[in-house]
Amino acid sequence: MRLFLCEKPSQGKDIARVLGATQRGTGCYTGAGIGVTWCIGHLVEAVPPEAYDDRFKIWSIEHLPIIPSVWRVAVKEKTAPQYKVVEALLAQSSELVIATDADREGEMIAREVLELCGYRGPIQRLWLSALNEASIRKALGCLRPAAETERLYHSALARSRADWLIGMNMTRLFTVLGRRSGHGGVLSVGRVQTPTLRLVVDRDRAIESFVPSAFWTIEVELTFQKQVFLAQWIPPASGADAAGRCIRQVVAQQALHSLQRSSEAQVIDVQTQRVREAPPLPFDLSTLQQVCSSKLGLDVQQTLEVAQSLYETHKATTYPRTDTGYLPENMLAEAATVMEALIASDPSVQALIQTTDIKLQSRAWDDKRVTAHHGIIPTLEPFRIQGLTATELAVYKLIRSHYLAQFLPHHEYDRTCVQLSCSDCALEANGTRIVQQGWHSVFIDQVVTLEDSELSVQALPALCVHASCSLHQVKIKPQKTKPPRSFTQGELIKAMKGIAKMVTDPRLKQTLKDTTGIGTEATRASVISGLLNRGYLYKKGRSVHASESAFTIIDSVPAAIADPATTAIWEQAFDMIENGQMTLDGFITKQTQWINQLVEHYRTTTLALHSTSGPVCPLCGASMRMRTGKHGGFWSCTRYPECLGVLPKAQPTSNTRRRTRRRPPSSDR
């Protein structure tokens, strides 16, 4: 029997239908010489330390580090019945086709089961980007040898074992150290979760310590040939900061008085630039999560679940867990079929589609930029759009719009900058004039792209050098600099993906690629959800903030583990294993050595917990910590936002415990 091993029941059902395996069994479909079954996600999991040795049931620093000599996995209790189904079918199979998701995790889900079951028969790989019938038939016609994707499995194992080594050893180490210092809970440490937490802790601290600076702007209302427009005063360098803001009130007041005594401004320079704006790429998962967070208010996990539903349940869009928005060049030939499917699914888009040109080849079609997957786009076949929920429909329309934009002209506009002089004061006016709407027509009433132009909507009159403009009104505006914005979940995803841009160390910046991130498209949402569920992050409106325990963890763990650059370098190592440039054993050996060094280095450390020795919350009795608001310092309950207890700042407490931090050993990656 030829057995197809899928990841989820829904995949199994779709593939079985195409194969003609119509007989439904327990946990499988069968047909003439064909079997289709599934794993329901991970059927097996890495065993905990106590499975290797009973003494590890007690958390003790003396037992650390815990390094398995032979790595073990065990069947998950919840899915044990399905594992038995797969095991029995494998015993009857003469040939296997791995049909799990086409990524590292999908490869690992299948191959760990095959290893545990001892399957030794021939293996092929089905590589799917969509679950509609045409895509399945196309993929079945070009099955890959299993050897081509085996390194994906090794890469996933490297990720899994690195997570285990850091999570099990560092969590036990710092939890025990925390208990010695009076912390009663678990201090959970993770390879990806801790650097992600560090991003939020650093941002919260930057906001809390931010001191606003005053600056002044002057807005001038001008008229030329009966058309009113606005100009901004340009302060002299002697009164401005590096960003060009006037930071000296006396300079702004002098300019205000000078302008108020004037009635005209002279144009001294006019510069107009024609700008051609290319359409945004189709979505990768991270970009989709950012847009849905910003525009639809969705959590990143919600966006992933909706995208997965559009892919699996409705067959409306392609595989969502992709890290690129680019498309294979040969898929351009399928554009006409996709357009027909879009109209059949939703006739209301027919008029818009008639304005597209499928002969256009945007920058999205680039084989060199396509990875194992391509951008998220609509599928080749119609689907029942009425079956979508309101949220699914909103996300589907975003995906569809980004695809249709590829077949419309560039958006073109003229950007004009006018320099004026008025009573020895320099003024500047900016404006735009749309020349061709182009792909922007797809986004009418729907701002969805992260590449939106930051343009003034002001239309300027036809100004020329030496023209005189009448001055009508002058306004001075006292302003203050603003602190960094709190992370939303979408912005946190963006920071995780683009972590290389945030690294300041010149050596690391050279090592990291611009595309290197922490976590993967498949895992970032679950990392953020895990931090929320553990109480290390909490939501306030659309933003996320670090809890008291988060500050304790970040202040306690080795800097290298909390440093996002470290995890980004690991992600590069996983890519190297996938590409054959590094071996799994070599990577784990180096990580084992590093874990040994860290345990020895921190074994006798005394933690200084972040929680204060300040007053007790009058509402719930928990401890309080000092925070800074717009009116100065105050005590806030450490259980905020669940508890809103506050007290005014009193005399400083004696909470002066400090921990002398020794320099930890660096990871030899």
Side-chain angles (χ1 to χ4, degrees), residues 2 39 109 132 142 167 200 288 295 433 474 535 549 606 615 625:
R2 190 186 204 194
C39 293
I109 283 170
N132 59 297
C142 50
V200 183
L288 181 63
K295 308 303 180 187
R433 183 180 68 87
V474 183
S549 294
T606 299
R625 74 181 179 103

Side-chain angles (χ1 to χ4, degrees), residues 314-599:
H314 301 288
K315 317 295 186 294
T317 56
T318 57
Y319 183 71
R321 298 171 189 252
T322 174
D323 60 354
T324 182
Y326 289 91
L327 304 170
E329 293 168 24
N330 61 12
M331 286 181 64
L332 186 58
E334 300 173 349
T337 306
V338 175
M339 297 297 189
E340 291 172 2
L342 291 177
I343 295 172
S345 302
D346 184 6
S348 69
V349 299
Q350 183 168 4
L352 175 60
I353 288 177
Q354 287 174 346
T355 67
T356 63
D357 181 0
I358 60 174
K359 295 179 181 178
L360 285 178
Q361 184 167 347
S362 71
R363 63 189 176 119
W365 311 93
D366 188 346
D367 287 343
K368 295 178 181 178
R369 307 293 292 272
V370 174
T371 58
H373 302 288
H374 55 70
I376 308 169
I377 62 172
T379 55
L380 293 163
E381 295 176 359
F383 74 102
R384 187 174 171 273
I385 198 169
Q386 296 81 3
L388 301 182
T389 66
T391 301
E392 288 172 339
L393 180 61
V395 175
Y396 169 72
K397 285 183 175 180
L398 300 185
I399 295 169
R400 183 179 67 187
S401 295
H402 272 237
Y403 180 76
L404 291 176
Q406 309 310 312
F407 303 100
L408 289 167
H410 282 52
H411 177 67
E412 296 187 28
Y413 57 89
D414 287 337
R415 181 166 56 199
T416 301
C417 179
V418 180
Q419 305 292 329
L420 305 99
S421 177
C422 182
S423 297
D424 297 327
C425 292
L427 305 177
E428 182 177 285
N430 293 283
T432 61
R433 183 180 68 87
I434 294 176
V435 177
Q436 178 171 267
Q437 193 73 10
W439 59 266
H440 273 210
S441 61
V442 177
F443 301 119
I444 293 174
D445 300 325
Q446 183 188 175
V447 183
V448 300
T449 174
L450 293 186
E451 301 173 31
D452 291 331
S453 303
E454 296 180 359
L455 301 174
S456 167
V457 295
Q458 175 174 243
L460 295 175
L463 296 167
C464 59
V465 177
H466 305 309
S468 294
C469 302
S470 300
L471 190 150
H472 287 286
Q473 194 173 34
V474 183
K475 294 180 181 178
I476 188 169
K477 295 182 178 181
Q479 299 191 56
K480 288 186 177 182
T481 54
K482 296 180 180 179
R485 292 190 304 178
S486 299
F487 276 120
T488 64
Q489 290 191 41
E491 288 162 349
L492 184 54
I493 284 278
K494 182 179 180 180
M496 293 171 73
K497 183 176 182 179
I499 200 65
K501 299 174 184 177
M502 303 176 70
V503 174
T504 56
D505 186 307
R507 180 180 59 85
L508 286 178
K509 209 166 185 67
Q510 287 181 353
T511 302
L512 294 175
K513 301 175 185 176
D514 289 339
T515 55
T516 299
I518 57 176
T520 66
E521 302 296 328
T523 61
R524 291 183 188 120
S526 62
V527 168
I528 294 174
S529 296
L531 290 171
L532 287 165
N533 292 337
R534 292 186 182 96
Y536 296 138
L537 296 181
Y538 63 87
K539 291 186 283 188
K540 185 179 180 182
R542 290 192 178 184
S543 61
V544 290
H545 299 272
S547 68
E548 196 68 31
S549 294
F551 285 90
T552 295
I553 290 171
I554 297 305
D555 289 344
S556 302
V557 302
I561 285 180
D563 187 352
T566 303
T567 299
I569 291 174
W570 277 326
E571 296 291 349
Q572 281 193 346
F574 304 151
D575 288 340
M576 292 174 69
I577 293 170
E578 184 177 327
N579 297 328
Q581 299 169 300
M582 181 184 293
T583 66
L584 169 63
D585 289 343
F587 173 81
I588 295 301
T589 296
K590 289 184 177 181
Q591 297 313 304
T592 298
Q593 293 170 351
W594 188 50
I595 291 294
N596 271 293
Q597 293 171 10
L598 286 175
V599 171

